[in-house]
Amino acid sequence: MRERWDDVGDRRMRSLEVGRRGETVVLLPGLGAVGYMKDTLAGCASWAHAFLLDVPGFGHRPPRPCAAEVPAVAEAVGDWLETVPDGPVVLAGHSSGAQVALRVAAAHPALVRSLVLLGPTFPPRQRTLRRAARPFLRTVVREPLSVLPVTLPYYLRGGPAEVLRCVRSAQSDFPEYLIGKISCPVLVVRGARDHMCPKTWADGLAITAPLGRSVTVPGAHVFPFQHGGMTASLIAEAAALADSYAPVRPSSRWAEPPAVVLPSSE
């Protein structure tokens, strides 16, 4: 696993890199906590040239490459994709990183050949702090304590105000309006014990995508930490399936695709 820095316009962006051949895979962490995604990155090393982007920059001291908000992170990732990889990538984001990945795929369709949304958060019923509290608590008690050393240092380095800023930005996002515009294959993955990403939400996103499907795997919200090899295998499967599909153009009957507003399983 190699640390790397790239100058992208006026930004300096850090990533962790593994492998040298095969598919190009880009991983985006949730809330800037890079550490819990390292096992998934390592699992991609045998078949891909893979990167784990340190955005919004909680893995290092300031200056950071972008603000801790979903639109700003998506813009930074889009700039990185236009500069660093040689061609279109398999883009996988977890939690709020899934929302970033979705925005990037919508804004830069030529740069993303397959999209993987891992535990996408904040369905409509969870878009206030009060309404998100109960699903969060029901989920966090199912997480292993060993996830704390690989997430808390990033949150502390970012600072509580910036982490909350990222959360509120993610709650103000509307992925159900974007998913219908995605022309590449989309895989939505959720943990079986993840109340922050209920099955109705994950399935609804997959149904709305022109080429979407959803799967439920063991674990809660941070299943990529507990099951890095399995997560890497699902990303590999999504990459292989991308070769079977020609790009599609979403229907133009609506100015915006209809929103998927489904009840959660709470």
Side-chain angles (χ1 to χ4, degrees), residues 58-144:
F58 292 170
H60 59 87
R61 294 179 179 177
R64 295 180 180 130
C66 59
E69 297 177 347
V70 168
V73 175
E75 181 182 351
V77 172
D79 290 346
W80 187 92
L81 289 180
E82 289 181 329
T83 304
V84 178
D86 292 331
V89 306
V90 178
L91 184 61
H94 176 256
S95 191
S96 64
Q99 292 170 254
V100 171
L102 180 57
R103 278 179 170 258
V104 173
H108 304 276
L111 302 181
V112 180
R113 63 187 303 268
S114 186
L115 180 64
V116 184
L117 307 179
L118 304 166
T121 41
F122 302 123
R125 286 189 177 181
Q126 296 183 26
R127 289 180 183 162
T128 66
L129 293 177
R130 182 180 64 82
R131 290 185 175 183
R134 185 167 179 262
F136 170 77
L137 293 173
R138 292 182 65 191
T139 301
V140 76
V141 297
R142 302 290 189 176
E143 306 287 17

Side-chain angles (χ1 to χ4, degrees), residues 74-231:
E75 181 182 351
V77 172
D79 290 346
W80 187 92
L81 289 180
E82 289 181 329
T83 304
V84 178
D86 292 331
V89 306
V90 178
L91 184 61
H94 176 256
S95 191
S96 64
Q99 292 170 254
V100 171
L102 180 57
R103 278 179 170 258
V104 173
H108 304 276
L111 302 181
V112 180
R113 63 187 303 268
S114 186
L115 180 64
V116 184
L117 307 179
L118 304 166
T121 41
F122 302 123
R125 286 189 177 181
Q126 296 183 26
R127 289 180 183 162
T128 66
L129 293 177
R130 182 180 64 82
R131 290 185 175 183
R134 185 167 179 262
F136 170 77
L137 293 173
R138 292 182 65 191
T139 301
V140 76
V141 297
R142 302 290 189 176
E143 306 287 17
L145 291 177
S146 54
V147 76
L148 295 177
V150 294
T151 54
L152 281 181
Y154 295 90
Y155 300 150
L156 293 174
R157 189 179 293 113
E162 289 297 281
V163 172
L164 180 59
R165 180 182 181 185
C166 192
V167 170
R168 297 298 291 138
S169 173
Q171 287 183 316
S172 300
D173 195 39
F174 300 94
E176 64 270 24
Y177 284 101
L178 280 182
I179 192 77
K181 298 180 178 180
I182 304 303
S183 58
C184 66
V186 178
L187 174 63
V188 184
V189 187
R190 65 174 293 272
R193 295 182 172 184
D194 187 0
H195 298 279
M196 298 165 64
C197 181
K199 189 173 187 301
T200 49
W201 171 241
D203 289 349
L205 291 174
I207 289 169
T208 307
L211 293 171
R213 64 193 185 96
S214 66
V215 297
T216 296
V217 298
H221 189 59
V222 293
F223 66 85
F225 169 70
Q226 291 179 280
H227 306 289
M230 177 196 68
T231 305

Side-chain angles (χ1 to χ4, degrees), residues 6-76:
D6 292 286
D7 292 318
V8 181
D10 60 352
R11 312 176 196 269
R12 186 157 173 78
M13 295 182 62
R14 175 180 176 266
S15 63
L16 301 178
E17 178 186 20
V18 298
R20 296 190 183 274
R21 297 181 180 179
E23 298 278 358
T24 301
V25 174
V26 178
L27 305 178
L28 306 177
L31 296 183
V34 172
Y36 76 96
M37 293 287 286
K38 287 182 179 179
D39 282 351
T40 299
L41 178 68
C44 295
S46 63
W47 59 274
H49 185 195
F51 300 85
L52 173 55
L53 297 192
D54 184 1
V55 283
F58 292 170
H60 59 87
R61 294 179 179 177
R64 295 180 180 130
C66 59
E69 297 177 347
V70 168
V73 175
E75 181 182 351

